[in-house]
Amino acid sequence: MNAQHQEFDAIDRQAAQWVDRMNRPLHDAAVAAEFDRWIMQDPRHVESYARMQAMWQSGGLQHALEDAEAGGDFSLSHDAEAPGWAAQAWKQFAAFAAVALCLVVLVSIGARALVSESSYVAARGISREAVLPDGSKVRMSGGTRMNVRITPWSRDVALLSGEAFFDVAHEKLRTFSVDTGNSSVTVLGTAFDIDLVDRETRVVRVYRGLVSVDAGAGRRWRLPAGSGIEVGGDRVRSLGEVRGDHPGWIDGWFDADDTSVLQLVQRLNRGSGLPVVMADPGLGGLLVTGRFQTSDPEMVLEALAAIHDLQWRKEQARYVLSR
C-alpha cells in the first residue's frame, strides 16, 4: 500500500469513527466542536464523511464497526470480494456525491458559512411557530426555550424548557436530534411532540414517522407513529394511542391519560394569562384522565375540583388550587 493510499485509508477510518460518534443520540458541545475542527481541516474529510454517512444509513458501516469490535477485519474496500452489504452500500455513494461536492465547496468558503446557531423563545401565554434553516417547522408552547445548531452534517436542537411540536424536513444525509438534558430524540424526517414536564420527566408523542428515544444507561426505545412514552428518572410509562396529526395543545386542548395534576397545571400556565398555583404541592401527584380545554383555565379548575373534591379561587394575579 503506497503512502497516498495509506493516507486516504486513515481519513476513511477517522470519518467512520466520527459518523459513529455523531449518530449517537447524546453528545456534548465539546464533541461537536472537536468534530467541527476535524471536518474543516481538509476537504477530503468532508467527502469521506459524506460517503461514510451514506454507508451508515444503509447499515453497512454499522455492520463493519460491529465486526471490528468482534475482532474481525474492518475494511471499507469495494472490490469484487467485498461482502454483499458493502457492495450495496457503495452503490448508494453516487447519490451522495453531489452533497459531498457541495460540502467541499462550503469548507473552502469558511466556518461561518457552515454553521447556523439560533435561539428561540416563546413568552408565557403565547405560542410561537419557528421555521428552522433546514425547512423544519417547530410550534412552541408558551414558556418554551430552545437553541438550534444547523451544519451541513448535523441538525441539533437543545430544548431547554416548555413543549414543542417538531415537523422535521426529511433528509437522507443529516439526522435531526433534540437534546432535552437527560434524554434525546433522533429522527430523519417525522412529526413528534416533546414536553419537558419537570427536571426529570419527558413526554414524547409521535404523529408521523419513527423516532428513537435515548434516556442513557442503555435505555432506548423506537416509537412509531401513534405511540408515546413518558420517561422520568427510573420510571417509564407507555402512553395510550396518539391520535391526529398534531398535539391537542395547539388547538387549546390537553388529553390526559392517568396524567398528573402537576402536568395539567403546567399546561394551563403555558397558555394562561394568570398562573395557577397549588396551595399544597402534594396536589400535583393526583391523577386525571380526560380531555381538558386548556384555553379556558376556569373550566379546567372546575373539572379538577369536581374530580378530586378540591376548591379554587381567583386572586388578583393568580388562581389558587387547594384542598
Side-chain angles (χ1 to χ4, degrees):
M1 183 182 294
N2 58 40
Q4 186 177 20
H5 193 172
Q6 288 179 332
E7 184 177 4
F8 275 102
D9 184 64
I11 291 175
D12 277 350
R13 288 175 180 273
Q14 293 170 14
Q17 292 169 349
W18 273 116
V19 167
D20 177 47
R21 294 178 70 182
M22 298 304 289
N23 277 280
R24 295 173 185 174
L26 296 176
H27 51 79
D28 57 27
V31 171
E34 184 183 353
F35 173 73
D36 290 349
R37 288 192 294 270
W38 175 81
I39 202 167
M40 289 187 289
Q41 282 175 355
D42 192 323
R44 294 174 299 176
H45 292 182
V46 181
E47 183 179 0
S48 180
Y49 183 84
R51 288 190 287 107
M52 296 305 147
Q53 181 70 11
M55 179 176 278
W56 179 275
Q57 298 298 342
S58 73
L61 180 56
Q62 188 171 13
H63 183 81
L65 289 170
E66 290 172 353
D67 281 353
E69 291 176 356
D73 179 23
F74 174 59
S75 174
L76 295 176
S77 63
H78 52 291
D79 54 28
E81 299 299 322
W85 61 263
Q88 180 64 28
W90 281 97
K91 290 179 182 179
Q92 297 189 24
F93 289 167
F96 289 83
V99 176
L101 178 60
C102 290
L103 294 181
V104 171
V105 173
L106 284 172
V107 168
S108 66
I109 294 175
R112 291 186 179 180
L114 292 173
V115 179
S116 170
E117 295 183 329
S118 306
S119 296
Y120 300 85
V121 177
R124 189 177 66 82
I126 302 175
S127 64
R128 173 188 177 186
E129 182 170 274
V131 179
L132 306 186
D134 69 324
S136 297
K137 298 178 181 179
V138 185
R139 184 67 177 267
M140 307 165 61
S141 72
T144 298
R145 295 183 300 117
M146 67 180 186
N147 295 330
V148 178
R149 187 174 188 272
I150 304 290
T151 77
W153 47 84
S154 65
R155 300 178 291 173
D156 299 306
V157 176
L159 185 60
L160 306 177
S161 65
E163 182 172 5
F165 173 63
F166 297 86
D167 192 345
V168 179
H170 180 79
E171 294 188 5
K172 292 183 178 180
L173 179 62
R174 297 185 295 184
T175 57
F176 189 102
S177 179
V178 182
D179 184 0
T180 66
N182 59 5
S183 61
S184 178
V185 176
T186 303
V187 301
L188 282 172
T190 187
F192 60 97
D193 184 81
I194 302 179
D195 184 4
L196 275 58
V197 178
D198 53 38
R199 297 183 63 179
E200 287 191 345
T201 307
R202 277 81 176 105
V203 176
V204 180
R205 293 181 174 89
V206 184
Y207 295 87
R208 188 183 70 248
L210 178 72
V211 310
S212 173
V213 179
D214 192 305
R219 298 185 302 162
R220 181 179 297 180
W221 302 269
R222 292 173 66 84
L223 303 180
S227 63
I229 193 172
E230 178 179 312
V231 182
D234 295 330
R235 297 176 291 102
V236 179
R237 184 169 70 95
S238 177
L239 304 180
E241 183 181 355
V242 176
R243 299 180 178 87
D245 58 5
H246 63 269
W249 65 262
I250 292 179
D251 301 319
W253 293 86
F254 180 80
D255 294 312
D257 179 13
D258 279 339
T259 302
S260 70
V261 169
L262 172 62
Q263 190 172 341
L264 179 55
V265 167
Q266 287 179 329
R267 165 56 51 211
L268 288 173
N269 287 341
R270 289 171 183 168
S272 173
L274 294 180
V276 177
V277 300
M278 292 178 287
D280 178 2
L283 297 178
L286 299 175
L287 301 180
V288 292
T289 296
R291 186 169 173 82
F292 297 88
Q293 188 176 357
T294 52
S295 57
D296 188 340
E298 294 189 4
M299 181 181 294
V300 174
L301 290 171
E302 283 289 350
L304 288 177
I307 293 170
H308 288 294
D309 193 24
L310 305 176
Q311 60 183 2
W312 66 275
R313 65 181 184 275
K314 183 178 180 180
E315 297 183 349
Q316 184 175 3
R318 64 180 186 173
Y319 295 104
V320 179
L321 182 66
S322 61
R323 296 188 185 278

